[in-house]
């Protein structure tokens, strides 16, 4: 349905050669490449409209402000949030989760309270909660996974008790590719009166997000994983919660009035946006959302799934001792694997020599690695611009590398 050859023309980086071989970029889970129209928005932001937002009456400042605020309205529609005041711009998913842990957690979690995370969380959905443990004696309880990488929902239900105060889980795992049943996870938590943060870093580029349908209290994602710029992210929060939460950081933009005796804070969303934001990156995120919606997120996902199924089948059939981690139905286009006892790092290095960019290591998910009983894995992940030919190049390289290591 999509004209992939045409799409690839928007990405000059894909023409690069690595060690004199065509680059096959399969590290999209870490960050995806950025199409020309998004890069052009960044260039235009610096060459035509650069002025600080929200502070000027002059034309450039008003234009820059309008670009930022229209991006906010675009994000609101993209995730079907009820209002633009519930869209807070951050540096990324990591900062969004830190904001909630520090502000909501700092204000409302007390000694003896419990929060629920899952074993498949990225470190950015673990460490902010551990930082909170320095201030209060909060217990972290962990949802385990089944052999295929699905969350164990019975175990999840059993973790609730009268001390449970918060749940924070990813929508999709950056290692297993598992897409979690977030709507059900939220409904179960809400039946106990517990709010939920959904880490959507891996979902936003591939799955249509509807925060009202999920009924998420908070939802976080990063622009750079969805064809957008680095350094920009989004936190959606329900208005009722954002209103009772204290500011996360202090500074310009987030105040109503300041004196040495008393400072009052700005209305939502600015209360949580201290300092000059990356307004040019935010305007570029607007373009990235347009880009995704013009292609159709379902079309993107269908193309990626075709590559996922083809590559997974051939890897399993053809490469001896292939172990794939994460086989949940409907998973995202991510293949984490090991071949026999070969070290993930050696495989990644050798694949790179053949032009194949995959990621190796613990993928910022060390607790998951422990649960899987490995130190690290190799991960290949797909985006809209990847092709069947690239999958073949990857598979040929994998044959060569695994034979060499054997
Ligand atoms: N959560 C998940 C599931 C991720 O995969 C990542 C990044 O890989 C993050 C959070 C952190 O995102 P960022 O580094 O953009 O803040």
């Amino acid at each position: 349905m999509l004209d992939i050859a045409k799409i690839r023309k928007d990405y000059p980086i894909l023409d690069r050669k690595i060690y004199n071989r065509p680059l096959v970029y399969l590290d999209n889970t870490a960050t995806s490449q950025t199409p020309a129209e998004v890069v052009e928005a960044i260039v235009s932001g610096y060459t035509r409209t650069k002025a600080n937002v929200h502070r000027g009456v002059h034309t450039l400042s008003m234009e820059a402000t309008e670009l930022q605020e229209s991006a906010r309205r675009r994000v609101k529609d993209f995730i079907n949030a009820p209002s633009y005041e519930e869209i807070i711009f951050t540096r990324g998913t990591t900062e969004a989760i830190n904001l909630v842990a520090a502000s909501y957690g700092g204000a409302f979690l007390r000694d003896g309270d419990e929060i629920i995370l899952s074993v498949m969380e990225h470190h950015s959905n673990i460490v902010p909660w551990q930082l909170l443990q320095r201030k209060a004696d909060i217990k972290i309880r962990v949802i385990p996974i089944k052999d295929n990488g699905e969350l164990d929902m019975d175990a999840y239900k059993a973790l609730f008790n009268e001390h449970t105060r918060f749940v924070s889980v990813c929508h999709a795992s950056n290692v297993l590719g598992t897409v979690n049943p977030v709507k059900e996870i939220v409904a179960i938590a809400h039946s106990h009166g517990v709010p939920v943060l959904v880490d959507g870093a891996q979902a936003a580029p591939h799955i249509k997000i509807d925060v009202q349908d999920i009924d998420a209290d908070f939802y976080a994602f990063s622009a750079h994983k969805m064809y957008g710029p680095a350094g920009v992210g989004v936190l959606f929060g329900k208005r009722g919660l954002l209103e009772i939460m204290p500011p996360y950081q202090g500074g310009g933009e987030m105040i109503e009035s300041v004196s040495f005796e008393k400072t009052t804070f700005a209305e939502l969303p600015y209360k949580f946006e201290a300092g000059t934001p990356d307004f040019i990156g935010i305007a570029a995120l607007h373009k990235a959302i347009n880009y995704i919606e013009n292609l159709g997120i379902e079309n993107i996902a269908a193309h990626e799934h075709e590559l996922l199924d083809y590559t997974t089948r051939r890897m399993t059939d053809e490469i001896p001792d292939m172990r794939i981690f994460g086989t949940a139905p409907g998973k995202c286009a991510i293949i984490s694997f090991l071949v026999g006892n070969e070290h993930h790092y050696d495989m990644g290095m050798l694949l790179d020599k053949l032009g194949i960019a995959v990621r190796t290591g613990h993928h910022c998910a060390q607790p998951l690695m422990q649960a899987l009983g490995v130190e690290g894995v190799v991960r290949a992940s797909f985006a809209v611009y990847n092709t069947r030919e690239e999958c073949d190049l990857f598979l040929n390289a994998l044959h060569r590398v695994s034979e060499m290591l054997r």
Side-chain angles (χ1 to χ4, degrees), residues 62-73:
M62 287 191 291
E63 283 178 8
T65 304
E66 176 47 28
L67 283 171
Q68 171 171 297
E69 294 310 313
S70 74
R72 200 187 303 275
R73 294 191 292 274

Side-chain angles (χ1 to χ4, degrees), residues 29-31 90-97 120-125 170-175 199-203 220-225 231-233 334 363-364 379:
T29 298
T31 197
T90 64
R91 282 194 300 117
T93 307
T94 302
E95 190 179 46
I97 299 174
M120 66 172 81
E121 297 312 311
H122 189 277
H123 294 164
S124 60
N125 196 20
C170 60
H171 195 159
S173 158
N174 66 317
V175 175
D199 166 358
Q202 293 303 338
F221 58 97
S222 301
H224 70 95
K225 294 186 194 288
V232 175
I334 295 173
H363 308 279
C364 295
R379 181 183 69 190

